[in-house]
Amino acid sequence: MSNVVSVQWLKDNLEDKNLIILDATIPKITSKSEATEFEAIPHALFFDIKKKFSNICAPFPNTIPSQVQFQESAQELGVNSNTKIVIYDALGIYSSPRAFWLFKTFGFKNVFVLNGGLPEWKKQGFKTVAAYNKVASKGNFRAIYQPNKNVFIESISKILDDKSFTIVDARATARFNCEVPEPRSGLRSGTIPNSISLPYQKVLENGLLKSKHQLKNLFLELTKNKKLVFSCGSGITASILYLAAAEIGYVHTSIYDGSWIEYGTLIK
């Protein structure tokens, strides 16, 4: 079964009363000017990664929220235990996989990413609206944290000594090779020891997730008997690799939530 749905599928199912559409766009990344016209897919609600679905008191950005915070924020969006969720973002496939991973991490299974996101929706000429939808009622979803989908810095040293694990870095090759400075001011360049590079752009083609055949070829060196831990700058693009791996059947996968911003700050 696929973890992504096409824009045509979403258009055909827009009126499904059990479907919730979430826009997981990170506005700071996508807004180029205040004059940019807002567009959303009909019936969409805003999945606020930065304020509602991150621990804003944590020292590093995009830190995973608590089980209670995630549950309450998801309920505020009307999420029920039997809801079907489709998530998209304004860049195609960028921050939507982060929301996908969060739902999986808190025990929600019936969640999918819109392949190509808003750009593909518009490319096909489908209608957009100028405002988000209103939540009809509070949901009854109950979060159950899945610790095997998340890795904290306390476990990294053990993972580095365990040959059954591979840490996969989603940052661009130049950042992985320390050829360019990190975009966050004051953060040193570097890599987690023994990690390998798989830039997230390599799993995408024209804004869409590559075919399963193409993805399998990309992941050839990441053998099935390995447990994959995905990392990046701050936990966003690592989620794209998590989605790609899930699409081709990898189950022993997790995200190092702190990623390089935490490791590069705390480990010298």
Side-chain angles (χ1 to χ4, degrees), residues 165-166 168 219 222-223 226-230 245 250 252-254:
F165 281 91
T166 296
V168 188
F219 278 76
L222 313 177
T223 56
K226 291 284 187 177
K227 300 172 185 177
L228 305 182
V229 177
F230 299 112
Y250 282 84
H252 298 296
T253 58
S254 57

Side-chain angles (χ1 to χ4, degrees), residues 85-154:
I85 295 175
V86 173
I87 309 170
Y88 75 91
D89 65 69
L91 291 179
I93 294 182
Y94 184 76
S95 50
S96 49
R98 173 71 182 187
F100 172 85
W101 171 75
L102 282 169
F103 272 107
K104 292 290 188 179
T105 300
F106 287 103
F108 192 90
K109 297 179 180 179
N110 206 14
V111 57
F112 306 88
V113 169
L114 183 64
N115 206 5
L118 183 61
E120 184 66 16
W121 180 268
K122 292 168 62 177
K123 181 180 177 181
Q124 298 302 321
F126 298 153
K127 175 186 175 182
T128 60
V129 294
Y132 289 123
N133 202 16
K134 292 184 178 180
V135 178
S137 59
K138 186 175 181 179
N140 61 20
F141 163 66
R142 298 295 179 187
I144 302 175
Y145 178 61
Q146 312 291 308
N148 61 317
K149 298 187 184 300
N150 188 26
V151 169
F152 294 100
I153 194 167
E154 292 81 4

Side-chain angles (χ1 to χ4, degrees), residues 14-196:
L14 270 181
E15 303 307 320
D16 183 345
K17 299 300 183 183
N18 202 40
L19 176 67
I20 288 181
I21 304 167
L22 299 178
D23 179 355
T25 298
I26 299 176
K28 184 177 180 181
I29 294 176
T30 57
S31 59
K32 296 180 180 178
S33 71
E34 294 182 2
T36 302
E37 183 179 351
F38 176 83
E39 293 178 284
I41 292 175
H43 308 314
L45 303 169
F46 182 45
F47 185 93
D48 192 342
I49 288 177
K50 288 291 187 177
K51 296 178 181 179
K52 290 286 189 178
F53 291 93
S54 290
N55 177 2
I56 61 173
C57 296
F60 302 108
N62 311 318
T63 297
I64 188 172
S66 69
Q67 178 175 297
V68 171
Q69 181 186 343
F70 185 88
Q71 177 176 293
E72 291 179 350
S73 296
Q75 288 179 349
E76 288 173 4
L77 291 173
V79 176
N80 293 310
S81 58
N82 64 342
T83 298
K84 177 181 291 183
I85 295 175
V86 173
I87 309 170
Y88 75 91
D89 65 69
L91 291 179
I93 294 182
Y94 184 76
S95 50
S96 49
R98 173 71 182 187
F100 172 85
W101 171 75
L102 282 169
F103 272 107
K104 292 290 188 179
T105 300
F106 287 103
F108 192 90
K109 297 179 180 179
N110 206 14
V111 57
F112 306 88
V113 169
L114 183 64
N115 206 5
L118 183 61
E120 184 66 16
W121 180 268
K122 292 168 62 177
K123 181 180 177 181
Q124 298 302 321
F126 298 153
K127 175 186 175 182
T128 60
V129 294
Y132 289 123
N133 202 16
K134 292 184 178 180
V135 178
S137 59
K138 186 175 181 179
N140 61 20
F141 163 66
R142 298 295 179 187
I144 302 175
Y145 178 61
Q146 312 291 308
N148 61 317
K149 298 187 184 300
N150 188 26
V151 169
F152 294 100
I153 194 167
E154 292 81 4
S155 301
I156 290 295
S157 60
K158 293 181 181 179
I159 287 173
L160 291 176
D161 293 333
D162 189 337
K163 295 187 182 302
S164 68
F165 281 91
T166 296
I167 299 177
V168 188
D169 195 318
R171 292 177 298 166
T173 302
R175 287 174 66 187
F176 182 84
N177 292 334
C178 306
E179 297 167 349
V180 297
E182 284 294 304
R184 185 179 178 88
S185 178
L187 179 62
R188 69 182 179 92
S189 296
T191 59
I192 298 173
N194 301 322
S195 58
I196 66 173

